[in-house]
Amino acid sequence: NEQIRLSKFIDEINLSGAKIVLSNSDPKNVNEEDNFFDDLYKNYKINRVEASRAINSKGDKRGKINELLICNYEGKYDKEW
């Protein structure tokens, strides 16, 4: 519910003309079929980037995961994303 509430806030500030970048861990790291963020932010650019994680309660789960960068604009780094 909090993620849905956040998406409504993002929609509001997007309408004001603000540039937005939102980050979140990609749920596809756990479940490839999980399209929650893809559906929630379908009107925005969704970039998946590798991020290293050094902290996790399970040592074998540390390392590289995908992170979501969701934005409402094209940037100079888009080719790298």
Side-chain angles (χ1 to χ4, degrees), residues 9-25:
F9 174 71
I10 295 295
D11 288 341
E12 287 177 28
I13 61 175
N14 177 55
L15 290 174
S16 77
K19 289 186 176 181
I20 301 160
V21 176
L22 174 71
S23 70
N24 202 85
S25 181

Side-chain angles (χ1 to χ4, degrees), residues 4-67:
I4 293 168
R5 198 171 118 209
L6 175 61
S7 74
K8 290 177 182 177
F9 174 71
I10 295 295
D11 288 341
E12 287 177 28
I13 61 175
N14 177 55
L15 290 174
S16 77
K19 289 186 176 181
I20 301 160
V21 176
L22 174 71
S23 70
N24 202 85
S25 181
D26 188 352
K28 290 183 180 284
N29 290 315
V30 177
N31 178 359
E32 187 63 35
E33 303 296 316
D34 190 333
N35 293 316
F36 179 76
F37 283 97
D38 297 271
D39 294 339
L40 195 60
Y41 292 104
K42 65 184 174 202
N43 296 322
Y44 298 91
K45 183 171 183 178
I46 300 174
N47 303 288
R48 285 180 165 85
V49 296
E50 273 191 353
S52 294
R53 294 290 182 257
I55 299 173
N56 192 311
S57 61
K58 298 178 182 177
D60 63 333
K61 299 293 182 185
R62 297 176 190 146
K64 294 189 178 198
I65 63 163
N66 281 334
E67 181 83 8

